[in-house]
Each structure stands twice: as C-alpha cells, then as structure tokens.
Amino acid sequence: MCQVGEDYGDPAPEVPLPPRPGDCFKAFYVHKFRAVLGKNRLIFPGEKVLLAWSGGPSSSSMVWQVLEGLSRDSAKRLRFVPGVIYVDEGAACGQSPEDRAKTLAEMKRILQTVGFPWHVVALEEVFSLPPSVLRCFAQEPSGTKGAYKAAVDSFLQQQHAPAQGEQQLSLSGTQDLQSTAVLPTAAQTEALSRLFDSVKTLTAKEELLQTLRTHLILHVARTHGYSKVMMGDSCTRLAIKLMTNLALGRGAFLAWDTGFSDERHGDVVVVRPMRDHTLKEVAFYNRLFAVPSVFTPAIDTKAPEKASIHRLMESFMLRLQAQFPSVISTVYRTSEKLVKAPRDGSADGPPGTRCLLCMCTLDIDTADSATAFGAQTSHLSPTQPPTPPAEAPTTPCCSAAVGRAQGCCRGAGPCGRGDPRACVIEQLCYGCRVNMKDLPSLDPLPPYILTEAQLRSQRAWVLQEYLVEDNDDEAQTSES
C-alpha cells in the first residue's frame, strides 16, 4: 500500500549519463602520451620538434596526439613548436612514378588538414647530402630540473601577454607552412634503384633504407633548426626491434635504438613518445576517433616470412604474443632496464671513433684477439690509419656527379690501400660490417658516405703523424 503523505509530483532525480564509448580509453591513451613526455622532460617550451610521419597508424596517431595537445581546449597544452616530415621511399620500394604521385597527393592533403609546417622529401636526396651529416656535433646542455621549471615559467609569462605571445605563436605556426617538395632528378632515381638492386639480401636492404632515412631526417632537422625528432615507434615495434637488433649483432646499441631518447647525433635528439602504446591500442584509437592514415608499400611488402631477419623476428614475436599475451610487454620492460654506458675512452674521442653509418661508438676491441670478433677485426684497427700518398687531392673524394663510376676512393687514393673497401669497412661497427658484406661494390653508395670516410682517414693519418713526430722529439731530447 502507498504511504500517506507521499508526493509523486516531484521530478525524478537526474541521473548522470554514462560516458560515451571510448571516452575512458581516450583518457587512458592520452595520459600515456603526456606522461612519457612529462616524466622525461627533454622537450623545453618553445622548442622546435620535427615529427617523423610515415603515414602508418602509429606515426599518424602521434601526429594527432600532438595536434590535440596544442589545441586551446586541451587541459594541459603542449608547449613546443611542431613540424612534420614525410620521406618518400617509393623509388627504393619499386613504386611507379604514377603511384608515387598519387601517394604524395594524399599525404599533402592530410598535412594541409593538420596545419603544421611540413616538409616532404624524397629518398633520392641522399645523393646530395653533405658529409657533415655523418658528424656528431656538440649538444647544448639541457640543464637541471630547475632550468626546465624556469623555462616553463618564462613561457607562461609570455602567454599572459596576449599581444606578444599570440603574435609569436602565430608566426611560428605559419612559418614554412607549405614546404615545396623538390622533385628528384632522373639520375638520382636511377642511382637509388641501382644501389638497392645491388644489395643481395632483404635484411641488408632494410637496414640500408633505415640508415639513409635517418640521415635525411637528420639533415632536414639541422637545416630548419629542429633540436628534437619524434619517432612513432610503438611498444610492439620496439620489442620486435630489440630482438631483431640482437640477431643483427647490434646488442651494444640497444639502449640507443629502443630507448626513449637517442643522443648519438649530438645536437639533434631522437625521442619516441609512443613507446608505451601497443599496436592494438593504436589500431583501436585510430578506429574510434577516425585518425587518417595512408598505406604505402614498404620494401618488404608481400615478402615471405623467411625473406629477412626483420620479417622472421616479427612473425615469431607476433605469434608468440598471440599464445602468451605478456611477451611483448616483458621484452619491452626489459629494454627499459638497459643503461647507456659508452665504452671507456670513447665518449670524448675523435670523430673517427664513431660508426660511419649508424653513428654509434665503434664496438671494436682489437686487443681481445682471443674472441672470434677480435680475430676478425684485428687487421682492421682504426687506431692504425694507413699511410696516404705523397700528394693529397685538392678536391673532396668522390665529389663527382651521382653514379660516378670512378673516384679517388676506388684506387690508390687517400686511403692508401689497394682495396678501397677496407677504408670504409674499418670505420663501421660490427652490425654495419655484416650488412656491408651484402653490398659487393662501393660504387652505388651515396657520395657523402665515401667522402666522409676519406676525410676521417686523412684526419687519423695526420694525428698519427703528429704523435710519431712528438715521440721522436721526446726520444731525441732524452738521449741528449
């Protein structure tokens, strides 16, 4: 029975609406991205950051995270100045000119929607890079936590001044908004195709492609004043990369290849803010919130499972992950424990102590000749430079046009050896040496690599000559 005095005229209490599907996941996803940047504090307010965008799901999600983080509706706005770079690798992957033009048109349409300053470069431009790309420049001191807080306070004070702050942000946001892509010449496209056709294995092709892409991004970052480069490597991709690099003999550089920051280049630091997101999370986020991406065929597209170490390791890890869901996270958490410990005496050494291609410290120990690797590299010691000829050339080595058949590195040049290949091999780490075995000739390599190899040999020879003269002078002084 109804109780006396009950009032049925009052409206029912308002019940809060349940969250929309995906809201909790979006908050979790965005928090991961912001937490990685906030925990490391490597990117200072107002700093120029270059976003490496390949068109794939992970890098597209990274660009969208930055876009939303810079919007006025964001609770905690990002404070750096972004730019986007896309590297067209169609010539290396065997795409036709029509397919490349179609892909570029779709890429530019998305870049114009994003609104960031963008740079579209073709991989063929590696044949016009300067040798300075392979040199490590001094990094500006990042300072302490107090310096970071001081930079944040200064940035916030500029924001409180509406006229000046908004004017600076608008100028920085519209500067070089549309970077016109320089079309590669037919000679450069032919030279790039000849280079990848000469490589024997798909494993070496993938490593070479990654190396040339990194050099090109580094050159664009230095040219336009970017001090940080963001890569879209996800947690799944980094776990696969860790196992792959172990198989390729790059175990000494895992902390740089898979860590959050990579300072091997000195003035330009590579960061990986997507390293806490799995590929499954990236796919769900892009699907729920309509993040655009562009499919571009890679160099290993439609390749069989055992065609390369990269493909084999990827298939192994993904199949293992399907049976044991904690495999990827376990491998990834193991990579977080790796410490960047340079070899003794090599941190502040001469430029020749770094690998010519990957720019990591040479992992060569010729003194340990008892090991197989020490015995293999004992006859290629970088501490004993060859004797150059009597007259050094007045022009840079291999500075001729693209695709030049002969050069000073291909004979009795400054390397001073009958085999010019040893001049380059002795300046490579173990992993890069293994890959160079699948390149029969040095002729197809871009000129800047051969030029830098010759310059390093000349510097090492001059240093050795001065050391010998000083030892002779000391000996004569002691005898007298």
Side-chain angles (χ1 to χ4, degrees), residues 364 366 377-385 417 426 433:
I364 296 176
T366 55
T377 60
S378 59
H379 64 287
L380 293 174
S381 174
T383 60
Q384 298 178 357
R417 287 188 176 142
E426 69 180 3
R433 289 185 182 189

Side-chain angles (χ1 to χ4, degrees), residues 10 19 35 94 104 124 213 242 267 287 310 353 360 384 404 431 442 466:
D10 296 338
L104 283 178
E124 290 91 328
R213 183 198 307 125
L242 184 142
D267 57 338
R287 176 69 175 178
H310 303 78
T353 59
C360 287
Q384 298 178 357
R404 181 178 178 179
L442 298 177
Y466 278 119

Side-chain angles (χ1 to χ4, degrees), residues 327-363:
V327 168
I328 294 295
S329 61
T330 302
V331 175
Y332 167 72
R333 297 303 174 189
T334 303
S335 68
E336 287 186 329
K337 301 176 183 179
L338 299 175
V339 180
K340 300 175 182 177
R343 295 169 61 89
D344 296 337
S346 61
D348 299 327
T353 59
R354 290 184 176 269
C355 178
L356 186 65
L357 294 180
C358 68
M359 300 178 67
C360 287
T361 305
L362 289 180
D363 54 346

Side-chain angles (χ1 to χ4, degrees), residues 236-315:
T236 308
R237 187 59 55 194
L238 288 177
I240 297 173
K241 188 176 183 179
L242 184 142
M243 301 300 295
T244 303
N245 285 5
L246 282 176
L248 293 174
R250 295 187 55 83
F253 315 126
L254 290 179
W256 284 269
D257 293 337
T258 62
F260 172 77
S261 61
D262 183 359
E263 304 89 357
R264 76 182 71 178
H265 308 295
D267 57 338
V268 178
V269 179
V270 177
V271 294
R272 303 178 179 94
M274 298 293 295
R275 66 190 311 266
D276 283 346
H277 300 79
T278 63
L279 282 180
K280 189 174 183 179
E281 293 173 348
V282 172
F284 272 115
Y285 182 86
N286 293 355
R287 176 69 175 178
L288 289 174
F289 302 101
V291 176
S293 60
V294 180
F295 171 76
T296 55
I299 197 171
D300 60 344
T301 300
K302 296 184 179 180
E305 180 179 312
K306 299 181 180 179
S308 68
I309 295 179
H310 303 78
R311 291 280 296 164
L312 183 61
M313 194 60 67
E314 179 182 4
S315 175

